[in-house]
Amino acid sequence: AAGYPVSMDDLEAAYVLPEGVENAADIYMQAFKAYVEPNEAEKALLPILGSYKLTDDISVYPPEVLETIRNTIARNAKCLELTDRASRLDFCLLPRTFEGYPPETCLEEVYKLSKLVFERTLYFGQHQQHDALHESLLTGSRLTGALSVQPKFVDTVVAGLMIDRFLSGLETSLTSVCFSEQQLSELQRQLRII
């Protein structure tokens, strides 16, 4: 009665961009192709893209971990540039099918992008790069927001994982960096959206 889609056909018909707007998904798809996967040795030293964990007796990331993060960010400069650019657009409709339940490979790619963005966020926080950290947090939250408005339940589940990652990165950032009042306001606005 409220006009919401009630079938897969209705959902597919409703899943369209407004006339004349740029689709962030097109740029995210380019970012997926530009992504450079870390090797197994690097993954052992990456806190978000890999398996490295701080222990109770080590509260700061050691130099080899930060160097591995820096190298991963440098190799993925093009990927991150495209992700930053796409995150500034207002509309994102990922390529989807609405028949059956095929694997949603683009969701895996979006999740991987979010991990890379938050790896960068962690690095900026560790190096007290306030402005770069702020921008990276905004990119991560916008990417999360773009996924949370996608039409399938699985999108919401993956977005939930990304929100947890964003909140964890935000909490770490707020305890180690002093943002300006304007930066805090922007982050607060983004939190309301996601």
Side-chain angles (χ1 to χ4, degrees):
Y4 295 113
V6 293
S7 70
M8 284 299 192
D9 288 342
D10 292 346
L11 188 59
E12 191 165 10
Y15 191 67
V16 292
L17 284 172
E19 192 72 33
V21 302
E22 190 174 3
N23 188 0
D26 296 336
I27 302 171
Y28 283 130
M29 300 296 279
Q30 294 172 42
F32 301 159
K33 292 177 185 166
Y35 178 77
V36 180
E37 186 80 33
N39 63 39
E40 291 307 312
E42 291 168 329
K43 284 182 181 178
L45 292 171
L46 290 170
I48 297 172
L49 285 164
S51 58
Y52 185 85
K53 300 275 185 263
L54 286 176
T55 59
D56 291 339
D57 55 325
I58 302 173
S59 58
V60 224
Y61 290 102
E64 63 271 17
V65 169
L66 294 174
E67 181 65 14
T68 303
I69 298 171
R70 189 190 68 71
N71 291 337
T72 302
I73 293 168
R75 274 198 314 276
N76 280 287
K78 182 66 175 172
C79 175
L80 286 163
E81 175 195 326
L82 289 164
T83 303
D84 290 336
R85 194 170 100 210
S87 77
R88 291 184 198 101
L89 296 177
D90 291 329
F91 295 95
C92 179
L93 266 65
L94 295 166
R96 310 312 286 273
T97 56
F98 292 88
E99 295 176 9
Y101 193 75
E104 297 288 1
T105 54
C106 64
L107 289 184
E108 294 169 23
E109 300 297 332
V110 169
Y111 190 54
K112 203 183 294 182
L113 279 188
S114 80
K115 289 168 91 173
L116 177 63
V117 167
F118 290 119
E119 198 81 71
R120 178 183 67 178
T121 300
L122 185 152
Y123 182 82
F124 289 152
Q126 292 289 303
H127 287 85
Q128 299 291 305
Q129 297 178 18
H130 302 174
D131 292 341
L133 171 61
H134 175 255
E135 288 303 314
S136 194
L137 281 167
L138 287 177
T139 292
S141 67
R142 291 173 186 143
L143 177 59
T144 302
L147 189 59
S148 65
V149 298
Q150 300 299 308
K152 291 187 170 183
F153 176 70
V154 68
D155 300 320
T156 305
V157 171
V158 176
L161 294 172
M162 290 166 59
I163 288 168
D164 282 348
R165 189 170 309 286
F166 170 73
L167 292 175
S168 174
L170 182 60
E171 180 183 20
T172 303
S173 301
L174 290 173
T175 59
S176 61
V177 172
C178 292
F179 290 117
S180 70
E181 197 170 313
Q182 181 182 350
Q183 288 173 327
L184 288 171
S185 293
E186 279 187 87
L187 289 168
Q188 187 178 34
R189 269 196 305 278
Q190 279 304 123
L191 272 172
R192 288 194 190 112
I193 295 169
I194 62 171

